Each structure stands twice: as C-alpha cells, then as structure tokens.
Amino acid sequence: DVLTSVMRFYYNAEELILSKNSYNKHRMIKIDHKNVGLQDFHLQLDDKQKLMNAGRTATIEFLADDSTVVGGFILPKLDLEERPVVLPKPLSQLVPRNTHLDYLRKVLDPTGFKTHDPAKLCVLHGLGGVGKSELACHFANENLSHYSLVCWLHSQTPETLRGSYEDLAHILGLYVEKKDSFDVIQRNVHARLEQSKTPWLLIYDNVEKKLPLPQRGGFILITTQDGSLWKEEAHRPIGPFSLEEALQLLQNASPSSSVEERKKLAERLECFPLALGQAAAYLTEEGNTIADYLQKIGQGSLNKTEGTERHPLPLTMTWSLTLKKMEQNYPTALSFLTCCSFLAPDNIPEAVVETWVALEDNSSLEPREVLRILKRYSLISWDPSEKRFSIHRLMQEFLQARAPG
C-alpha cells in the first residue's frame, strides 16, 4: 500500500508539474487510460486494444487541433495578440527624412496583405554613417500598430544574428537548446512566422552578406552597405542629408545661430548625418556657438586630418574634436570607449562598464555616469531601461586606428 501510494503521489505530482509548463501544453498528449492502473502489468488482449485505441484517438485529436509540426515539435498557430516589439528607440535629435519615409510607407504597406502572400522585402543601402539604421528605426517605431510583431535583428556577425534569432524564437514560443545549430533555429523561426495570421515586420540591420529569409506572411526591411544584395527586390539608396534636413538638425541644436552659420557648418560637414549628429551633440553639451565650432574644426591638426572612403573627412574632423574634449575632461570615459571599440558593436551589457570602473584605480565616476557622458556626446546609443548600449561601427574603427599600439 505504501509503495502504491508513493507511486500515485509521484505520478500525480509529475503530471501537475508538466501541465503547469506552458511549453508542455503544446507537446503533451493526454490519453484516457481506460481504468488501467499503475500495477496492471498483465492486461487482457481486449484491455490492451482499448488502451491502444485511446492513445491513437488522443493523438489524432491533438494533431488536428489547429496546430503545425515545426522542427519535431507540435506548436499552435501563431496568433500574436500582444504585439511583441523588439526595437531600439529612435534618437531624440532625429530629423524626419520624409522622402525616404514615404517610400517605406508605400513599399511596406500591409493594407490588403494576405497571409499566403510572398514576403515583401525592402533594402536600404549606402555608406556607413548616412543614417540607414536610424531611418529604419524611425519607420518601425512610427508604424508599430500596422504589424502583429516588430523585431530588430542585429545582423553584422553570425554571433549577433544568432542571439537575435534566439530572442525571436522565445517570443514566438519556440524552444531552443544550446546544442541547436543556427540553421535549425532559423528554419523553425521562419516556419513559425510563415504561419502567422497577421503581417509582421523584421528589420535586419547591418547585413554584410545574403541571408535566408522567411518566404511569406510579412515584411522585411534590410540595412546594408552592399547595394548588390537582393538586386531583384525594392532598393533604396540612402545618401547624406538634404541641406534642408541638415539645417533643421543644427537649428534644434543651436537655436540662436543664424541661417548662414548653420548653412556654413552643414556644407563644411558635407551634410553627413553622423558628423552632423556629432556636431549637434557637441554644440548642445558645450553651449558653443557654431562660429566657435567652425573655428575649432579648422584649427591645427584637425584641419590636416584626412578622410577615407570608410571615414569621410567630416567624420574625422568632428570625432577628433569630440575625442579631444573627452581626453581633457573625461579620460576614464574615453578609455572605456576605446576598450569598447574592440567588442561587438551592438547590445553591449552594462556589466562591462561596471567591471571597467572597478578595475580603474583612479576613476571617480560611477558606471552609469560613464555611459551618460558618452551618450551626451552621441558617442554611444544607450537605453537605461534595457541595460545595454551600442557603439557605431565606424566609430569603433576610428578609435582602433588611434589607439596606442
């Protein structure tokens, strides 16, 4: 009796635990045991047949219950009622680029889209620093209500892309094991998305080579420097700001400046978005006039700095000025930024700065103060609520080139 009680207790406890796991809900088949007990080891042929028929019936009903087999697991059809969003926030100093945004609204318009329609793809391509990622981020944040799911995928390296796919798999209710290859995770995620009842939006940021993509059910936006990728799809070349856009950004940063001063600085920086953003952050933080800023970037070694295809002249000038200011006032923050230039650029955990400050003997700054300083000068993107930050890849290359050997 004691043994029977223990067995029943164990069986009931195990069944309760399994039923409480939402994941098991979609992989467990509950079978009517037809009054067969735990100690009924010698069943009559008729009882065996009843038990087998009960198992067969339960399995057929389970498979028919509006579900799909994905990667060996049985999962319910995707019905995203909570509108999951994995997306960075747009910059506070953002200047709307309406011509490009109007194009994206047209190409990625979900009106009339059907679940069996092929996925629609749009590619934003151009030199690093022209604002492709910010444009994609602006569009996605502006149009969240149009899609059942919006997800940002960091695509620069295999490691960052796998991490993004694992996050997406979790959102979709897919089980991922450490031993799973990326190909398996990718196929399962795509299969899950392709059965969505409502359109979704995926943003693949900083793609360097062609990738497998979901084939139907939603919309895909890609940012890349390689304009030869996905030639057959909708392409949108992204260049520098228009003069009007550049003037608007500088007016926001320096309201007291004249139109002529703003125009002179915009032309000096060739309307290059990343350089103008850096200049705007510097003007706002230091309280300098545009005339002072123009004078500083024209002085001494800054004027002799040569640009390259990867680092255009406006970038080298604005970065050199900003980093010189950091070296004078915030050497610890600059040292940390240089250290970050050798890390993967996206989703760097705050724990990294905590470790750095702990190792710095002469640091008087708190970890988050370091990040606040770097963000104020637009040297990093940081959302305190996410406890992660990112640094632009071109800034990383620039810092690596100037780091002591």
Side-chain angles (χ1 to χ4, degrees):
D1 289 341
V2 174
L3 179 59
T4 301
S5 298
V6 170
M7 291 176 66
R8 283 177 178 163
F9 174 80
Y10 176 80
Y11 175 81
N12 292 334
E14 183 183 39
E15 188 177 51
L16 179 62
I17 291 170
L18 290 173
S19 66
K20 292 293 183 182
N21 189 323
S22 59
Y23 169 67
N24 287 327
K25 174 184 175 183
H26 305 301
R27 67 169 186 170
M28 289 178 59
I29 302 175
K30 191 169 181 62
I31 300 172
D32 181 1
H33 54 73
K34 298 298 180 183
N35 295 318
V36 174
L38 292 171
Q39 293 178 299
D40 293 338
F41 301 116
H42 302 288
L43 298 178
Q44 298 296 320
L45 183 60
D46 186 51
D47 292 330
K48 289 182 180 179
Q49 191 62 50
K50 287 180 181 179
L51 195 58
M52 291 174 64
N53 287 341
R56 182 174 181 273
T57 300
T59 303
I60 292 173
E61 290 176 351
F62 184 75
L63 292 173
D65 185 24
D66 194 30
S67 59
T68 300
V69 177
V70 178
F73 294 99
I74 299 169
L75 298 161
K77 286 188 176 179
L78 181 60
D79 186 11
L80 298 167
E81 298 178 355
E82 298 181 1
R83 201 182 308 280
V85 175
V86 180
L87 188 65
K89 295 179 180 178
L91 292 176
S92 57
Q93 293 183 332
L94 185 70
V95 173
R97 306 181 74 173
N98 291 321
T99 302
H100 294 310
L101 289 170
D102 287 343
Y103 175 83
L104 292 176
R105 293 183 192 112
K106 180 179 178 181
V107 174
L108 303 175
D109 182 7
T111 304
F113 188 82
K114 297 179 176 60
T115 55
H116 59 270
D117 287 345
K120 290 188 178 181
L121 174 64
C122 181
V123 180
L124 303 179
H125 62 90
L127 184 66
V130 294
K132 303 181 297 295
S133 298
E134 284 305 320
L135 186 59
C137 182
H138 184 171
F139 171 79
N141 277 279
E142 178 189 69
N143 294 277
L144 289 176
S145 62
H146 295 171
Y147 308 98
S148 59
L149 172 148
V150 178
C151 189
W152 188 277
L153 302 164
H154 300 283
S155 309
Q156 185 185 13
T157 67
E159 293 77 18
T160 58
L161 186 60
R162 179 188 172 107
S164 292
Y165 261 86
E166 287 179 352
D167 291 341
L168 180 52
H170 177 73
I171 290 171
L172 298 175
L174 292 167
Y175 182 69
V176 177
E177 295 189 41
K178 289 184 179 180
K179 66 179 182 180
D180 289 343
S181 69
F182 176 60
D183 288 342
V184 169
I185 299 171
Q186 191 176 53
R187 283 198 305 270
N188 289 349
V189 165
H190 291 179
R192 191 86 164 95
L193 289 169
E194 288 169 359
Q195 59 167 314
S196 175
K197 297 176 182 178
T198 49
W200 38 260
L201 173 65
L202 301 183
I203 302 103
Y204 290 82
D205 187 42
N206 296 321
V207 173
E208 296 191 348
K209 64 180 181 179
K210 207 164 184 178
L211 304 167
L213 301 170
Q215 295 301 299
R216 64 180 180 275
F219 296 81
I220 299 168
L221 180 56
I222 288 172
T223 73
T224 180
Q225 292 191 41
D226 190 346
S228 67
L229 301 178
W230 291 285
K231 281 185 176 180
E232 67 281 5
E233 304 295 342
H235 266 238
R236 185 71 173 180
I238 307 298
F241 279 147
S242 67
L243 182 59
E244 182 181 356
E245 291 166 341
L247 293 178
Q248 182 180 343
L249 178 64
L250 292 175
Q251 182 178 11
N252 294 341
S254 181
S256 61
S257 61
S258 68
V259 174
E260 285 304 312
E261 286 177 324
R262 295 195 292 270
K263 185 176 179 181
K264 190 173 182 179
L265 179 56
E267 290 174 345
R268 183 75 174 91
L269 299 181
E270 301 174 14
C271 294
F272 205 80
L274 194 57
L276 283 166
Q278 200 78 58
Y282 187 95
L283 290 169
T284 301
E285 183 61 27
E286 296 297 322
N288 283 23
T289 66
I290 287 181
D292 289 338
Y293 190 85
L294 282 166
Q295 183 180 8
K296 288 179 179 178
I297 64 174
Q299 286 176 346
S301 60
L302 294 182
N303 197 38
K304 299 176 184 177
T305 305
E306 295 184 0
T308 65
E309 183 180 1
R310 291 284 288 171
H311 307 100
L313 184 58
L315 283 183
T316 60
M317 289 189 302
T318 55
W319 281 346
S320 294
L321 180 59
T322 299
L323 295 180
K324 183 178 180 181
K325 176 65 68 174
M326 295 291 295
E327 193 170 21
Q328 293 171 349
N329 297 339
Y330 308 108
T332 298
L334 178 58
S335 295
F336 174 68
L337 187 68
T338 302
C339 172
C340 291
S341 71
F342 295 93
L343 304 177
D346 297 313
N347 283 330
I348 304 172
E350 281 187 13
V352 173
V353 70
E354 294 170 2
T355 302
W356 174 267
V357 169
L359 294 174
E360 284 287 295
D361 295 331
N362 300 321
S363 176
S364 59
L365 297 174
E366 293 294 324
R368 283 206 156 191
E369 181 61 22
V370 173
L371 296 179
R372 276 191 283 270
I373 291 168
L374 295 176
K375 183 180 180 180
R376 286 205 306 265
Y377 284 89
S378 290
L379 295 170
I380 63 169
S381 300
W382 174 47
D383 181 358
S385 64
E386 296 292 331
K387 296 187 177 181
R388 294 175 181 275
F389 64 95
S390 300
I391 176 173
H392 200 283
R393 299 167 311 290
L394 294 184
M395 171 58 78
Q396 285 188 311
E397 294 178 6
F398 188 73
L399 288 166
Q400 289 174 14
R402 71 189 295 277

